[in-house]
Amino acid sequence: MNKSSHKESVQDVVARLRANRSQQESTKEGETAHSINDQPQCNPPTRSKASKNTLAVSAAERKTEANKIIKRLLFGELTQGQALKNLRVTILGLKQDVFAKLVGISRKTLSDIENDRGSYNTEVLNKVFKPFGLQVGLLPSSSDTLRSLLTKHDRD
């Protein structure tokens, strides 16, 4: 067999992570339904967080946070690397090595992108932003023009 047949696609990994999270959340909900007099339950293993300060958030909160990060990127308040790091930590809660493996790049390449070092082609950038539903594209260089286009689009 060739090497690629053993690799999970990004969609497969994201689906697996979501299924694990859903299972953990339903287990926790089930545990809270038991009375205090029940035998203590074994807690499921905790997920490895990107940072000790990273808090678990709901799907709706992740979507809201992702939209805030993307908006800041679009309006030039964050660099591409800063946005990627914020999305990786806030939305997926993954460490660099895990995320790099997920998207099929080296951890050093990911680190360089997040620290705005180097110049990477569209293919690599699309790989790292794909889990967030983003791809490299063209935008107006003026944030005022972008705001105008988005505001006009909202009224249409």
Side-chain angles (χ1 to χ4, degrees), residues 95-110:
K95 294 182 179 183
Q96 278 187 337
D97 57 338
V98 175
F99 183 76
K101 191 173 190 176
L102 173 76
V103 297
I105 62 169
S106 73
R107 192 215 47 84
K108 181 177 181 342
T109 298
L110 177 60

Side-chain angles (χ1 to χ4, degrees), residues 126-141:
N126 281 338
K127 277 183 176 183
V128 298
F129 282 104
K130 186 175 183 175
F132 309 106
L134 299 172
Q135 67 182 16
V136 174
L138 299 173
L139 291 173
S141 57

Side-chain angles (χ1 to χ4, degrees), residues 22-36:
S22 295
Q23 184 179 8
Q24 287 177 353
E25 288 173 359
S26 65
T27 302
K28 287 178 185 175
E29 288 171 6
E31 288 175 3
T32 58
H34 295 291
S35 72
I36 296 174

Side-chain angles (χ1 to χ4, degrees), residues 141-152:
S141 57
S142 163
S143 59
D144 290 336
T145 303
L146 181 59
R147 282 185 213 283
S148 172
L149 288 170
L150 293 175
T151 305
K152 182 177 190 263

Side-chain angles (χ1 to χ4, degrees), residues 47-132:
R47 175 178 69 132
S48 174
K49 294 183 180 180
S51 165
K52 292 177 183 175
N53 298 326
T54 303
L55 300 174
V57 294
S58 71
E61 291 170 324
R62 283 192 302 275
K63 181 72 172 169
T64 300
E65 286 304 308
N67 288 341
K68 287 178 186 177
I69 293 166
I70 294 165
K71 188 174 183 179
R72 291 180 63 205
L73 172 64
L74 289 173
F75 291 115
E77 297 168 14
L78 290 176
T79 65
Q80 190 171 266
Q82 291 168 332
L84 178 59
K85 182 175 182 177
N86 283 326
L87 289 166
R88 173 180 60 81
V89 172
T90 305
I91 307 310
L92 297 180
L94 296 177
K95 294 182 179 183
Q96 278 187 337
D97 57 338
V98 175
F99 183 76
K101 191 173 190 176
L102 173 76
V103 297
I105 62 169
S106 73
R107 192 215 47 84
K108 181 177 181 342
T109 298
L110 177 60
S111 176
D112 287 347
I113 294 170
E114 288 185 348
N115 289 295
D116 298 305
R117 292 190 300 255
S119 179
Y120 292 93
N121 65 33
T122 304
E123 181 181 350
V124 172
L125 294 174
N126 281 338
K127 277 183 176 183
V128 298
F129 282 104
K130 186 175 183 175
F132 309 106

